[in-house]
Amino acid sequence: MPLSNFRFAKLSYLFRLMDLDGDDILSPADFDEMARRAAENQDKSAEGELHKRLINSSAKRYYKRLIEALEITGTQIRLSDWLNYFREMDEEDDVEMDSVIQFFLEFFYGVFDVDKDGFISLYESMELFQLFGLPLEKSKTFFKDLDSNADGHVSRYELMNAVEVFLTSDDPEERGNWVFGEFDY
Ligand SMILES: [Ca+2]
Ligand SMILES: [Ca+2]
């Protein structure tokens, strides 16, 4: 079965968001660019330097995890590979999809939970927006949508639900669809 227009639009949008160098391919170069931008956003404190080193060393590892999660044997991910993955997964049970959700959890917590308290704060979520070039003024709304119990932090559980909705839902009313910002559909 083909993907609905809505899912096609949002999955393509997420792909382009991650394709930071805009060459229509997800490759280690995009993750290097992510690391470079993250380092640029850091202050010059010792903590900032440590964060920079951590991000640099793990950028390639994250890319490898994504390729494994998508079960791609080559070294690059084209938009068609990415969309095909979700098309095929719809026909199987969602056990395999879990590995892509796990990738995003590991990635977001690894990169953005700077103080390692197990939650993403509003401030930490702003870094995410900056990194992907999303409008910062939208980050507060985005954060409120993610923080479903409104305790001022985004827990793993809250993030996991949002990512799952994003990857699988056909209902634009579900808030998780907007976890990566706004897109047209
Ligand atoms: Ca790219
Ligand atoms: Ca945190």
Side-chain angles (χ1 to χ4, degrees):
M1 228 181 56
L3 296 169
S4 67
N5 286 346
F6 181 61
R7 277 181 83 210
F8 178 84
K10 67 178 168 176
L11 290 168
S12 306
Y13 166 81
L14 177 58
F15 183 91
R16 298 213 167 85
L17 211 58
M18 292 193 291
D19 178 20
L20 287 182
D21 63 7
D23 65 353
D24 290 327
I25 292 166
L26 289 184
S27 71
D30 298 304
F31 283 71
D32 286 344
E33 171 64 12
M34 238 173 255
R36 197 190 62 74
R37 287 194 197 179
E40 225 169 49
N41 291 341
Q42 288 302 305
D43 56 36
K44 296 278 176 278
S45 66
E47 208 183 320
E49 283 301 305
L50 175 66
H51 186 48
K52 180 166 87 180
R53 284 203 300 275
L54 279 175
I55 288 176
N56 275 333
S57 65
S58 53
K60 288 215 161 62
R61 189 168 57 86
Y62 286 124
Y63 182 72
K64 205 170 154 260
R65 289 271 293 119
L66 179 61
I67 273 232
E68 282 167 6
L70 296 172
E71 294 167 356
I72 286 171
T73 44
T75 55
Q76 295 183 329
I77 307 167
R78 291 164 305 164
L79 178 60
S80 55
D81 299 326
W82 168 254
L83 294 173
N84 269 335
Y85 172 81
F86 292 100
R87 217 172 273 137
E88 280 166 21
M89 277 311 126
D90 285 353
E91 275 148 38
E92 298 175 24
D93 62 50
D94 59 10
V95 178
E96 298 299 322
M97 183 89 86
D98 284 352
S99 63
V100 176
I101 295 170
Q102 284 308 320
F103 160 78
F104 280 109
L105 278 183
E106 202 182 296
F107 176 64
F108 285 134
Y109 273 92
V111 178
F112 300 105
D113 182 15
V114 181
D115 63 5
K116 300 288 167 217
D117 69 347
F119 295 94
I120 307 285
S121 65
L122 173 61
Y123 179 76
E124 288 166 343
S125 79
M126 286 168 81
E127 284 208 326
L128 189 155
F129 260 58
Q130 236 167 347
L131 193 70
F132 289 104
L134 296 166
L136 267 188
E137 66 272 17
K138 294 272 165 63
S139 63
K140 274 207 175 104
T141 324
F142 148 91
F143 188 78
K144 255 200 247 155
D145 280 354
L146 273 178
D147 181 15
S148 50
N149 71 351
D151 69 348
H153 300 279
V154 172
S155 67
R156 264 174 202 274
Y157 180 73
E158 286 167 335
L159 187 64
M160 190 181 77
N161 280 340
V163 171
E164 189 169 2
V165 164
F166 184 93
L167 296 177
T168 61
S169 168
D170 267 320
D171 178 6
E173 297 299 317
E174 286 197 76
R175 298 197 297 186
N177 284 312
W178 309 99
V179 59
F180 298 112
E182 289 172 357
F183 56 89
D184 294 325
Y185 65 94

